Each structure stands twice: as C-alpha cells, then as structure tokens.
Amino acid sequence: MVQFGYTMMTEQAGPRELVAHAVGAEKAGFDFSVISDHYFPWLASQGHSPNAWTVLGAAAQATTRLPLMTFVTCPTVRYHPVLVAQQAATVQLLSQGRFRLGLGSGERLNEHVVGGGWPGVDVRHEMLEEAVGIIRALFEGRTLDHHGPHYDVEHAKLWDVPETAPPIGIAVSGERSCRLAGHLADVVVATEPKKELLDSFDRHGGAGKPRIGQLPVCYDTDRDAAIERAHDQFRWFGLGWPVNSELPHDGAFASATQFVGKDDVAESIPCGDKTENFVEAVRPYVAAGFTEIALVQIGGAHQEGYLDWAAAELLPALREL
C-alpha cells in the first residue's frame, strides 16, 4: 500500500509552528513526515527559513510514531559531510530509529551563503558521491581519515552511533543522479511523477528499494484564495530542477516567475477543498510506481484546517488508491 506523508516546510513557518505541525500530522494519521533543509526561502512571501536540524530534534521528542526525514539535505557545501553524519546519527537516536537521511546535490539558493562559488553539476555529483561514502563510514562507528578529491577528514569518529544507521535517500532529476542513487542510496527521492526516473534508478541498482515523491497542494474552502496563495508562494515550483538549482536568491526566483500566472499554478497544483481533485493529482505518482508520497500544504498559517480535513476526508480517499 502506498504511504502518504506530511511535509514540514521550513520556508513557510517558524520553528515552534513546524514542530506543532508535525504533532498535528501524527495525530491526523499521516504515515511519515519530511522536512526541507533551506537557508533561504524560494520567495520572500514565504517568509521563513529556520534550521531544519534543530526542528528535527524537537519534532523527534514531540512525536512518538511519526517517521522523520530530511527532504533533502545537501552534504557538500554549506555542511561538511562529517557534520551531516553527526546530525543524522543524533536525530536517529532522539527519534529511536524513526529517521531517514535524505540527501541531494543542492541548490545555489542555500549553498552560496558560505562563499567559494557554486560548482557545476558534474562536480556536485562527484562531491555528493564522496560525501555519502564519508557519512556511511562514520555511521559504522569507524575512526576515519580520508583525503579525497573534494574532502579531507582527519581522525573523525561518531561517539554516539545508533544501533541501526539511518537509511540514506538521494534525490534524482535525471540520468546522472539516477545512476548515483541506484548505486548509493537505500531510498530514491523525486519531485516529479516521472516513471523514467524510477526505471533508471532500477537499472542502476535501485530495484526493490522505496521511492518517495512529493506533491504541493493548497487546501482552502475558498478555492480562489487557495489559488492566490499557491501563486504567491509556490509559483516557482514549475521551473524545473535545472533552473531551481542555479538561481542564487529569492529575488532571482521572483524575477524568473514574474510571468507565471494564476491559471498556470491552478493547472499544476490542486487547490480548494474537492477531495477528488487532490486524489487525481496524486494518481500519476502511484501509477509511476512511487511507494510513498509526501504532500506539501502551501501556506504556513493554513495547516490546522488542512490537517483536520486530511484526517477526515483526504487520507481515507487517498488510501482507496
């Protein structure tokens, strides 16, 4: 059976609110939760970007059964991979084994803040592959000395190692990332319902492994208000990963989406309160072969009503799929 998840969007809510949303998602009956890991929001209208790892620690204590996952962390520029390994091991311990570490090659939007430029995509994939090797070695409790093409590690060791290491997910958007994920990941992550991504993942060693998709939605009893909010905060979503990964700040995203209209957004994001529209938006992910689908309710101040509606109507309807 396909599982359905809740997304803690750090770009649209503060830290205390995000933890409360996770608690609400657990109560509503969501099967799992993921959290974005940003330094910047995509658009200024979203208005937030607290530290995801601090929120995860609090959410791990505030919930009891809800699986947690980064969706996704870039372990190459803003974070050194030894730090990501320590953070992930700690959250796995705090959550008593409910954590998965989602990784990706990153976005300039978040990684530029530490300086040093933004590598080309081929270099980013090389860095990610090396980072995953470092993280896995530290999860094994080894004392690690490593001198690679991109990272130096000197006598690193995790002193608090979970009995079960967090499974590692890798985000994919094309053939190169699918090859990397098939070889290295326990889970594949994608934000588009493209069967060809999963087929490529399988060809490169991913057959039988979980695959998680993500879909933005905008629940509101006033459909016009939902469309307005989705356009205001999420019109960047249709730009595609090759564009999204290269834009440097929220102003660039605003410029890149200035000609995206409300009708364009309404065609790609289910808005309103008609359950059947949300079910139809999820159906392509199920058909493509995703085993888990994380929904993103747009608007940080519009989560409580969504969670109540999801518990009463949306989740039961989705599970009929």
Side-chain angles (χ1 to χ4, degrees):
M1 181 179 291
V2 176
Q3 294 190 321
F4 297 98
Y6 176 83
T7 301
M8 290 183 279
M9 285 291 290
T10 60
E11 300 80 24
Q12 65 180 18
R16 292 176 62 86
E17 290 76 18
L18 289 164
V19 175
H21 298 163
V23 172
E26 181 174 73
K27 182 179 178 181
F30 279 92
D31 299 308
F32 66 99
S33 180
V34 302
I35 187 169
S36 56
D37 185 355
H38 271 225
Y39 198 93
F40 265 75
W42 285 285
L43 294 168
S45 56
Q46 292 178 305
H48 294 274
S49 205
N51 182 271
W53 290 94
T54 307
V55 173
L56 277 169
Q61 294 297 284
T63 57
T64 58
R65 65 151 191 90
L66 192 71
L68 304 167
M69 182 178 186
T70 49
F71 210 86
V72 293
T73 286
C74 175
T76 61
V77 178
R78 182 167 42 114
Y79 302 122
H80 192 285
V82 298
L83 178 59
V84 173
Q86 184 187 39
Q87 292 173 146
T90 300
V91 174
Q92 179 75 322
L93 289 166
L94 284 170
S95 65
Q96 297 182 298
R98 291 184 282 134
F99 180 66
R100 293 180 291 184
L101 175 61
L103 302 175
S105 58
E107 298 172 78
R108 187 178 180 188
L109 174 71
N110 304 302
E111 309 308 315
H112 78 276
V113 295
V114 296
W118 181 230
V121 64
D122 289 340
V123 174
R124 299 202 299 268
H125 285 141
E126 290 175 6
M127 295 173 73
L128 179 59
E129 183 170 10
E130 187 176 347
V132 171
I134 292 168
I135 291 166
R136 285 204 185 275
L138 291 170
F139 281 169
E140 294 172 2
R142 293 160 48 187
T143 298
L144 182 65
D145 287 285
H146 169 91
H147 302 285
H150 300 290
Y151 300 104
D152 289 311
V153 179
E154 183 175 343
H155 200 74
K157 174 184 170 66
L158 297 181
W159 286 89
D160 291 276
V161 182
E163 183 176 334
T164 301
I168 292 177
I170 292 180
V172 300
S173 59
E175 182 67 20
R176 286 175 295 187
S177 54
C178 287
R179 186 184 310 118
L180 186 69
H183 176 59
L184 294 177
D186 304 304
V187 182
V188 69
V189 171
T191 57
E192 297 175 283
K194 293 182 176 180
K195 186 176 184 297
E196 58 265 32
L197 293 176
L198 302 185
D199 290 342
S200 179
F201 175 65
D202 289 347
R203 285 196 306 272
H204 294 293
K209 297 176 182 178
R211 54 258 354 252
I212 308 175
Q214 189 179 51
L215 171 70
V217 302
C218 197
Y219 165 79
D220 199 298
T221 54
D222 183 337
R223 185 169 185 269
D224 290 338
I227 293 172
E228 178 74 33
R229 187 166 70 250
H231 178 263
D232 179 52
Q233 296 190 22
F234 243 78
R235 63 185 183 273
W236 57 270
F237 191 74
L239 291 175
W241 197 250
V243 176
N244 286 345
S245 63
E246 300 295 340
L247 296 178
H249 50 71
D250 58 296
F253 276 86
S255 296
T257 58
Q258 61 182 311
F259 299 115
V260 177
K262 294 178 185 178
D263 291 342
D264 300 319
V265 171
E267 287 179 6
S268 60
I269 297 175
C271 296
D273 63 352
K274 290 187 177 180
T275 305
E276 59 268 27
N277 293 341
F278 290 70
V279 172
E280 287 306 309
V282 167
R283 195 178 299 277
Y285 289 83
V286 177
F290 286 89
T291 57
E292 302 174 49
I293 302 164
L295 304 179
V296 184
Q297 162 66 357
I298 299 171
H302 298 268
Q303 301 298 308
E304 291 185 9
Y306 165 73
L307 290 170
D308 290 342
W309 175 72
E313 298 187 36
L314 180 60
L315 289 174
L318 289 175
R319 287 178 177 134
E320 291 183 3
L321 283 170

